[in-house]
Amino acid sequence: MLKKYRQDWGLAVNMTVGEFIEFLLAESKLLCIQVKPKNHPNARVWTRYTWGDVSPFLLGVSYGKGAYLSHGTAVFLHALTDQLPNLIYVNKEQSVKRGDSASGLRQLAIDRAFRSSRQRYSQFEYAYERGRFLILSGKNTGSMEVGSIALEDGSTVPVTKLERTLIDIVVRPAYAGGVYMVLEAYRRAQPDVSTGTLLATLKRLDYVYPYHQAIGFYMQRAGYKPEQYERFRNLGLNYDFYLANDLRDLTYDSAWRLYYPKGF
């Protein structure tokens, strides 16, 4: 822009790019937004320039190439909750890694992982004057089942599709407000869910833990038809599993071999 408009705008021949940016900030609607790390003081600050106001959602996915919105933010954008998000979840997938084998899964390891350990929670939180972002280093999926949603200002943002979102919040319920919010999302999603897509996406994600038991449990509790949730039961009930990590006062559902909070 400096090269293109230097002569037309009567700019000095020795004006630098930095000076040009300062000129635009002072003389036009160009805005400079700085998103700063909250708990990693040495992490980089994002600096973004925009002509006028910009949606926090659009700003969030500018974090890096291939970033997309997920979990609780996707729940909101798919209208599965009425709660305005106070934290925007931005997923920047990890590089490809060798997967663990489900054949090595043991009941003792499941119990140890879910009974006494909290869900792993990202520490990469960033903020600016209009919002906060949590950067998730999600499993590498090649942006599987990521689509786009139009915002009120007409812009579009990449976000996990409905079925992928429902799987993600079962795997990481803390990123969606907890198990009760997950159940509400399943209730609201029922008219639009494709059970086939949900099942196929779960298989492609290839998780070691038997999350299909939790998904089927949620579907049954949310009032889905038996022919929908029974497809997940048919994947096998080979282990006792848990609705989430570090739950207290548990009840056991023998039909799904699943522990869940009492009164759920």
Side-chain angles (χ1 to χ4, degrees), residues 33 37 91 102 116 119 148 206 239 241:
I33 300 173
N91 199 329
S116 58
Q119 175 193 306
S148 62
D206 193 27
Y239 303 96
F241 195 50

Side-chain angles (χ1 to χ4, degrees), residues 1-13 20 23:
M1 287 182 64
L2 177 58
K3 290 179 179 179
K4 183 176 181 180
Y5 294 108
R6 185 191 298 272
Q7 185 173 354
D8 291 346
W9 291 354
L11 303 177
V13 293
F20 181 52
F23 164 76

Side-chain angles (χ1 to χ4, degrees), residues 80-114:
L80 304 181
T81 180
D82 294 327
Q83 293 192 13
L84 292 173
N86 57 9
L87 189 61
I88 294 175
Y89 295 95
V90 180
N91 199 329
K92 183 70 172 68
E93 294 187 357
Q94 304 172 43
S95 57
V96 178
K97 297 180 180 179
R98 185 181 64 84
D100 296 324
S101 173
S103 61
L105 197 60
R106 298 289 184 269
Q107 186 63 58
L108 182 62
I110 295 175
D111 294 338
R112 186 166 52 244
F114 283 85

Side-chain angles (χ1 to χ4, degrees), residues 216-237:
F217 174 83
Y218 276 118
M219 293 175 76
Q220 185 173 17
R221 285 299 176 103
Y224 287 67
K225 297 177 181 179
E227 55 264 31
Q228 292 177 288
Y229 59 75
E230 288 297 337
R231 296 179 67 178
F232 291 85
R233 196 193 309 275
N234 292 339
L235 294 178
L237 304 176

Side-chain angles (χ1 to χ4, degrees), residues 25-236:
L25 290 171
E27 302 295 335
S28 73
K29 292 183 179 180
L30 184 71
L31 299 177
C32 176
I33 300 173
Q34 290 194 319
V35 185
K36 300 179 179 180
K38 291 195 67 177
N39 40 18
H40 286 271
N42 296 324
R44 67 182 178 92
V45 175
W46 323 347
T47 300
R48 300 290 183 266
Y49 296 96
T50 173
W51 297 108
D53 198 16
V54 64
S55 164
F57 300 115
L58 197 59
L59 180 62
V61 296
S62 77
Y63 173 78
K65 184 178 180 180
Y68 56 86
L69 304 176
S70 64
H71 296 82
T73 306
V75 168
F76 174 76
L77 292 174
H78 285 294
L80 304 181
T81 180
D82 294 327
Q83 293 192 13
L84 292 173
N86 57 9
L87 189 61
I88 294 175
Y89 295 95
V90 180
N91 199 329
K92 183 70 172 68
E93 294 187 357
Q94 304 172 43
S95 57
V96 178
K97 297 180 180 179
R98 185 181 64 84
D100 296 324
S101 173
S103 61
L105 197 60
R106 298 289 184 269
Q107 186 63 58
L108 182 62
I110 295 175
D111 294 338
R112 186 166 52 244
F114 283 85
R115 272 193 179 274
S116 58
S117 299
R118 294 186 177 182
Q119 175 193 306
R120 287 178 294 173
Y121 202 87
S122 172
Q123 299 301 307
F124 290 95
E125 185 174 336
Y126 292 78
Y128 77 121
E129 60 271 15
R130 285 188 55 196
R132 296 187 296 135
F133 306 97
L134 192 68
I135 308 302
L136 310 179
S137 298
K139 174 180 179 177
N140 186 283
T141 71
S143 297
M144 183 192 305
E145 287 297 300
V146 173
S148 62
I149 283 183
L151 303 177
E152 292 181 356
D153 63 5
S155 60
T156 60
V157 288
V159 59
T160 51
K161 295 181 182 179
L162 180 62
E163 290 80 10
R164 166 73 188 274
T165 299
L166 293 175
I167 294 170
D168 285 349
I169 62 177
V170 169
V171 175
R172 295 285 185 265
Y175 292 155
V179 294
Y180 290 92
M181 295 299 292
V182 174
L183 179 59
E184 179 61 21
Y186 269 75
R187 287 193 178 115
R188 293 196 178 201
Q190 183 180 358
D192 302 311
V193 168
S194 164
T195 306
T197 301
L198 189 65
L199 189 62
T201 303
L202 179 64
K203 288 180 178 179
R204 290 171 62 200
L205 288 169
D206 193 27
Y207 284 109
V208 172
Y209 290 121
Y211 289 110
H212 65 277
Q213 292 171 223
I215 292 172
F217 174 83
Y218 276 118
M219 293 175 76
Q220 185 173 17
R221 285 299 176 103
Y224 287 67
K225 297 177 181 179
E227 55 264 31
Q228 292 177 288
Y229 59 75
E230 288 297 337
R231 296 179 67 178
F232 291 85
R233 196 193 309 275
N234 292 339
L235 294 178

